[in-house]
Each structure stands twice: as structure tokens, then as C-alpha cells.
Amino acid sequence: MTSSVSAIRKALAKLMPVLFLLLPLGVSGHAHAADTHEFNDYAGVIGDAPVGMTLSISGNKVAEGSHYYYRKYLKDIPLAGTVGTDLRLAEPGGGIFVLHYVDNNAATVTAENSTGLAGTWSGNGRIIPVKLTAENGGSYVLGRRYADVTNKSDAQFEEPIRGFYYAAIGGRPADAARFVAFPLRVNTAPRRFTTIRNASELQQKWNSIFSPAWLKALAAVSPHDLSTSNGQAMIGSGLAFFGDDGLEVVNAIP
């Protein structure tokens, strides 16, 4: 992680407790408890390629809905397998992960108390190192990760998020504004914010809201498999929050 990305994450961490008090409460999901599964999210690299992974463990098996993806493509690759001393995960194309939980100085290392996963991916005659950091987790119905935010499918809900993501890191403010739910709240410090009322105002103030460090931090995360809080989906450890109609809140930390 670069120093600028690390610094912006530390600044966001200071702002987050106040931010959650200010965010509106969302609508709770209506999924039956029997239909929900516990999922754990990870982010890291296979070799040098940024990836994300979502795992659901049921007994000693990897449950349906587990997958990984390359940030470059954002296409889920299903995973199946078993859990013992190691996690052995197989993908349809023949690739195999052999992973273990990273020690968190606990007597017994589990998915709940570990800091991540490490091991290898092998396929096509290659063996590549894998390093993943534990990100978030939650319980939800398969395909309805965002049920507390929207009635849309996961793919439908993520479409405008990806639209904003690629437009923002691509330096296209006018395109990015299409995916904003105005009025946009911009938090500038704990208990201090400004309101952007339309696309024209957003373009005028773009550079003051989205600093190079902010955009670099955004580019270092994925617009996929986001965690949710208070009826919104969060990207980049609190860089921005999305609702049913698009981007609603930005933490513009210099």
C-alpha cells in the first residue's frame, strides 16, 4: 500500500464513527433467516494481480456462492472445496487454491479471528503465491448481498457504482455525475459537510472534492462485493457510500 493511500485510510478511520451517526438508517432486509448464509470477504493478490474473494464455509465444505474475481475483469469465478488444516478450493477451469488462515496471535486460528489467507494458486503448469487480507463479512441470501439497501439484484445495484468508479478514476467528471443521487453530501471533517446540488456544481468543485490521493485510494479497491451499513453500500473503507439511486455520500479527506 502506498503512503498516500495509507494516509487517506487513517483519516477516514477517524471520520467514520461520526459519519455513521449522521447517515440515514436504511430499510432492513426481508430475507428469512433459513435462507441466509455467512460470507467472509477478502482482498489481495494472486502473484501481482489484484483479486477479491468471498467465502462461505459450511462444516468442512465451501458453500455455494463462494467465488473469487480479478479486479481487472470483475467476473465471479465459482469456488468449491473442503476445509481442513488447509482450505482447498477448486475453480471450474481447473485452478486450485491451497490456502491457510494467517495467524492473528490467537490460540486457534479461524475465519473469524484471522487476519487473512495465504498460500498458492496452481494451474496451467504454474504455481503462484496468494496473499489475501480479511475485509468484511455478513449474512445474506445468495445474490442479495444488498437487500438492506435495495430490491435490485446485486448486478443491477452495482452497475451505477461501477459507472461512477471508472468515470472517476478515468478523469471524466461529466460521466461520473450521471451516477450521483443529488443532492450529494460531501463530508469534509467530523461534523462538517457541504451539499452538492446538481451535476454542474459537482463538475465545478470536482478537484476540491476528489483529490489525487482520494482517486488513488479509489483505484486501489474494487467496485464489487461491497459491505453495507445503515442502508448504504460502502466502497474503500468509507471513501464513498451508495444508495438505491447512486452515489449519496463522499468523504473528501485531503
Side-chain angles (χ1 to χ4, degrees):
M1 184 187 303
T2 64
S3 58
S4 61
V5 173
S6 177
I8 201 167
R9 288 189 177 181
K10 289 179 180 179
L12 286 169
K14 294 179 181 178
L15 183 60
M16 291 302 291
V18 174
L19 173 62
F20 285 135
L21 292 174
L22 298 173
L23 288 174
L25 294 177
V27 179
S28 60
H30 299 287
H32 296 293
D35 297 327
T36 63
H37 298 276
E38 187 74 25
F39 290 88
N40 291 298
D41 297 329
Y42 302 87
V45 291
I46 298 176
D48 295 325
V51 298
M53 182 179 288
T54 293
L55 295 177
S56 178
I57 308 298
S58 178
N60 64 345
K61 293 184 178 181
V62 177
E64 181 184 5
S66 298
H67 62 269
Y68 82 103
Y69 64 90
Y70 290 89
R71 189 190 301 162
K72 182 177 180 180
Y73 304 109
L74 299 181
K75 182 179 180 180
D76 290 348
I77 302 171
L79 292 171
T82 58
V83 178
T85 303
D86 293 322
L87 284 74
R88 301 185 65 87
L89 313 174
E91 63 180 91
I96 300 291
F97 288 93
V98 179
L99 305 172
H100 60 272
Y101 291 115
V102 177
D103 187 4
N104 194 32
N105 297 319
T108 301
V109 183
T110 66
E112 287 71 29
N113 64 19
S114 71
T115 57
L117 295 165
T120 60
W121 177 92
S122 60
N124 301 319
R126 299 177 296 162
I127 299 178
I128 304 174
V130 177
K131 185 176 181 180
L132 302 169
T133 300
E135 293 283 298
N136 301 290
S139 298
Y140 51 85
V141 175
L142 182 62
R144 294 302 315 278
R145 169 186 283 262
Y146 306 111
D148 286 345
V149 182
T150 182
N151 289 322
K152 299 173 183 175
S153 69
D154 290 354
Q156 289 173 324
F157 178 72
E158 286 187 354
E159 186 175 353
I161 298 174
R162 296 186 189 190
F164 175 84
Y165 176 90
Y166 288 117
I169 65 177
R172 305 192 309 274
D175 289 340
R178 295 169 46 218
F179 307 104
V180 176
F182 294 104
L184 173 66
R185 177 184 178 124
V186 179
N187 294 308
T188 56
R191 302 191 183 280
R192 293 180 58 188
F193 69 95
T194 186
T195 300
I196 306 299
R197 303 194 178 281
N198 52 53
S200 177
E201 185 178 359
L202 179 66
Q203 292 181 61
Q204 292 172 8
K205 298 181 178 179
W206 180 268
N207 291 334
S208 63
I209 298 171
F210 303 108
S211 68
W214 193 99
L215 292 171
K216 189 172 185 178
L218 181 67
V221 297
S222 300
H224 182 44
D225 286 352
L226 306 182
S227 61
T228 62
S229 179
N230 293 318
Q232 294 175 315
M234 176 180 71
I235 191 170
S237 299
L239 284 171
F241 292 80
F242 295 83
D244 199 24
D245 295 322
L247 179 65
E248 294 182 347
V249 179
V250 170
N251 283 324
I253 306 301

